[in-house]
Amino acid sequence: MEGIADFLDSIIGGIDLICYSLVIGGLVWGLFILRPWEYAHKQNKVHIILTEQTIRLIYQGAFALAIVQFIKIILKIWLMDSILERWPFPEFASTTQFIGGIFRLSLAIALATFVYSVLRHNAYSRKQWFNAAIIAGLMIISGAWLVHAAGRFEYRVILMALTTIHQVSAAVWIGGVFQLVSIWQLTRQKQIPDSYWPDSLRRFSRLGMIAVAGILLSGTPMALNYITSWNGFIGTGYGNILLVKFLLLAIALGFAWLNRRAVLQYASSANKHDVFNRVPYYIEAETFVLITLLFTAASLASQPPAIDIPGLTATWGEVLHSFAPRIPLTTSPSHAALLAGEAGRTAIIGQTPSAAATAWSDYNHNIAGIFVTVMSLFAMLSYRKSLTWTRYWPVGFIGLGIFILLRADAETWPNGTMGFWESMLENGEIFQHRIATLLVFLLGGIELRARMTSDPESKLPYIFPILCAFGGLMLLTHSHVGFQAKSSFLIQIGHTFMGLFALIMAIGRWLELKLDSPGKNIAGFISGFAFFQIGLILIFYQEPLY
Amino acid sequence: MHLRTCQMQRLLCRLILLSCCYTGLVNAHAVVTDYSLKLQTVSAGKASQVKLNFNSNIELGLSQVFLVRTGDVEEVLSVTAGKEPGVALIDMPALDAGVYALHYKIFAADGHITEDVIHFTVQP
C-alpha cells in the first residue's frame, strides 16, 4: 500500500496546482479583465453569461481545491501509517504540514462558499470581488508554509515568498488560458458574439506578459539558490526537471507569441482568419503544455535540490553516455540469471550490482525502441498515397503492449512470483508500468480504429493525442526508486526526454487534426519527428550498472 | 448505435481519467549533508552516538532510523534532536566488528519523506 499512497500523494500535487490556477487565475481575470462592476448599470445578456461563467469556474475550482487539499492530508496520513506501520497521530498534528494544510483547507472552503453563496448573487459588486480576493490572498499566504522552502535554513522567508509569487504568477497565466478556452466554447456555441473572442485575447495578452515576467523574476533567483553549478543543472533530477520546465515554458511562450501575432494582425487588418481558425487550437495546444508544466512543477517539488547532493551529481560525460548511439541489445538474459542477481542487487549490506538486471532492462527498452522506430517510419510513410497500407502502423502498439506486459517487471506475473494485482498495490513503479501498458493498448486500438473510419466527423482521431499527452505526463513524472540517487537519475533522464517528445508528438498531432495548411503539415511533420526521437532514445537506451 | 457510441465515449473518458493516476515516487528533501561517521570511526564493543545533519528541518516524531546488520536484519534505534535545527542524534549500541548500515526514513518539514542508507564499518 505504501507504493500506491506515495504514488497518489505525488499525482495529487499536479491536480492541486490545476485547481489553484482555476481559482487564482479566475479571480484575477474577474478583477482585471472582466471588471463586471463597470457594467452594473448597463448589463446585457453577454456580460451576464461571461460573468456567470467566470464565477462558475472560480467556485468549481475552489471546491475542487478544498477536496484535493483534504485528500492530500488523508494521503499523507495514509503514507505515514504505511511507512511507520503505526497511526501517525498525535505527532503529525503538530507538524507544519498538517497545521498549514488544515488552514489552507479551511480557507479554500471559505473561498468556495463565499464565491458560491455571496459573489454569485452579487456579481456586479466591486466590494464582493475584493472580499473574495482577500480570502484568496489569505489562502495563498497559508500555502507558503506548505512549499519546499518552508523547511530550509537559509533565506527561508525570501524563498517562501518567491515560491508563492512564482505559483501565483503561473496560476494567473494558466487560469487565464482556462478562461480563454471557456470563452472560445461560448463563442463556438454562439452564446456570445464573435467580437468578444479577439477582444478577450487582446485584453489577456498584457496580463499574460506580466504573469510570465512574474514567473521568470521569481523563478530565476530560486533556481540560482537551489542549483549553483552547471553540473548540478545537467547531472541531477532537480536540474533535469527544471530544464524540462524551461523547455515547456518556451513551447508555451511560442504559442502565446503566435496568438499575440494573430491578434495584432486582426487589429491592424481586421483579418479574422487566424484569430478564429488557428488561435483557438493554439490555445488548446498551449493548455496541454501548461497542464504538463504544472505536473512537472509538482514533480520538481519532490526532488532534492542540486545544491544539497554534490556527491550524487552525474557528470556531463555520464549524462551524454546515456544517449550515446550503440547497437541495440536483441538478446535477453534468462529469467533465472536475472533472479540469481536480484538478492545481491537489492541487499543493503553487501550490495552487488546485477549485470543481468541491467541487460534485462536494456533489452526491454531497446526492443520497445525497435517497435517505436518502425512505427514512426511507417507513420511518416503513410502520408504517401501510394503506400496506403502503412496507415495501419498503430497495430505496432498492440504488439508493444503485449511485449511490455510480459517483460516490464520480472518479479511479477507472468515471470515472477508476485501476483498481478498484489504487485500493483505494493509497488508504485509496477503500477506505473501497468498504466503505461494500458495506455499503449488504448493508443493502438483507438488510433487503428480512427485511421480506418470513413466518418469525417469522427472524434476518435482526437483520442490519440490526448493519450499521448497523458503518456508524456507519465514519463515526465516517472522515477525509478532506489538508494543510489545518481543511478536513479541516469535511468530517469531518458524517460524525462521521452516524456517531452511524447507531449510534442501529442500537440503536433492535435494541431495536424485541427489546423489548415500549411500549419497542418508542419505540425504533422513535427509530431512524426518527435515519435521517431522517442524510438531513437529507446533503441540506444542503456542503464548504469546498479 | 448512437447510444452505444455515447457509452463507449463515457467508458473511454473513465479510462483516460484512470490513466491520469500516475506519477513518480517521491525522492524528498531531507538530504543528509554531513554525518559524524565520515570523521570518526565506530569502535567495536562500545556504544556510541551518530550525528546526522540534514539540509532542512525534520519531524523526528515521524521519522525512523534502523541499524542494518549482515543479512539485512534491521533494528530500530532511538533518535533525539540535536541542539541545532536539522540535526538528529542516533544512539548506537555496542557492535561487533563488521559491516553495517543506517537505514533512515525521515519526514521533512516540507512534507516529503526521505528514505536512504549510510554504510559504515565497525573497526576491531
Side-chain angles (χ1 to χ4, degrees), chain A residues 84-370:
Chain A
L84 300 175
E85 294 175 346
R86 67 173 176 85
W87 185 237
F89 286 95
E91 294 93 337
F92 187 56
S94 61
T95 63
T96 310
Q97 281 298 305
F98 183 75
I99 297 164
I102 292 291
F103 262 101
R104 190 170 184 252
L105 170 63
S106 308
L107 288 163
I109 292 169
L111 180 62
T113 308
F114 179 83
V115 174
Y116 184 76
S117 55
V118 179
L119 186 63
R120 193 165 60 106
H121 301 298
N122 299 278
Y124 294 91
S125 162
R126 185 177 184 172
K127 184 184 162 199
Q128 300 302 3
W129 275 94
F130 277 89
N131 285 341
I134 289 165
I135 301 170
L138 293 171
M139 189 188 74
I140 289 165
I141 292 164
S142 73
W145 272 263
L146 301 173
V147 301
H148 170 75
R152 294 192 74 82
F153 303 128
E154 311 87 23
Y155 315 117
R156 179 171 175 257
V157 175
I158 294 169
L159 288 170
M160 280 167 70
L162 284 172
T163 307
T164 305
I165 293 165
H166 194 69
Q167 283 182 346
V168 169
S169 302
V172 169
W173 182 19
I174 297 165
V177 169
F178 290 158
Q179 291 286 337
L180 285 176
V181 169
S182 110
I183 289 171
W184 173 246
Q185 297 299 328
L186 293 171
T187 309
R188 209 175 53 174
Q189 293 159 7
K190 301 292 178 197
Q191 288 191 53
I192 58 173
D194 283 358
S195 60
Y196 278 85
W197 172 242
D199 186 52
S200 300
L201 288 169
R202 183 185 55 78
R203 295 171 88 179
F204 176 65
S205 186
R206 189 184 304 165
L207 185 66
M209 284 193 282
I210 293 167
V212 170
I215 289 169
L216 294 172
L217 289 172
S218 56
T220 305
M222 281 197 294
L224 292 173
N225 182 77
Y226 292 136
I227 302 172
T228 52
S229 69
W230 282 110
N231 229 47
F233 186 55
I234 297 297
T236 62
Y238 191 92
N240 180 237
I241 292 175
L242 189 66
L243 173 64
V244 168
K245 270 185 79 179
F246 283 151
L247 294 170
L248 290 172
L249 185 68
I251 295 168
L253 286 174
F255 284 117
W257 176 77
L258 287 171
N259 296 340
R260 182 165 168 75
R261 196 182 62 165
V263 170
L264 292 173
Q265 195 180 54
Y266 173 78
S268 63
S269 66
N271 183 345
K272 281 185 168 186
H273 183 270
D274 282 9
V275 165
F276 284 89
N277 295 291
R278 289 179 182 170
V279 168
Y281 312 126
Y282 293 154
I283 286 175
E284 286 171 358
E286 192 180 339
T287 306
F288 271 121
V289 178
L290 293 174
I291 287 174
T292 308
L293 194 56
L294 289 178
F295 277 88
T296 308
S299 180
L300 185 70
S302 71
Q303 295 282 342
I307 192 172
D308 294 328
I309 50 168
L312 300 170
T313 303
T315 63
W316 283 75
E318 287 169 324
V319 171
L320 290 174
H321 181 72
S322 299
F323 298 98
R326 61 172 193 144
I327 304 294
L329 204 61
T330 52
T331 54
S332 165
S334 67
H335 191 249
L338 177 77
L339 292 184
E342 280 304 278
R345 189 180 69 87
T346 55
I348 294 177
I349 303 287
Q351 187 187 44
T352 47
S354 167
T358 301
W360 180 277
S361 183
D362 286 356
Y363 170 83
N364 287 356
H365 286 86
N366 294 169
I367 296 297
I370 292 170

Side-chain angles (χ1 to χ4, degrees), chain B residues 50-68:
Chain B
V50 173
K51 182 179 171 187
L52 300 183
N53 292 63
F54 289 90
N55 65 331
S56 72
N57 282 305
I58 53 175
E59 305 282 0
L60 279 183
L62 294 164
S63 301
Q64 290 177 322
V65 180
F66 303 89
L67 174 71
V68 188

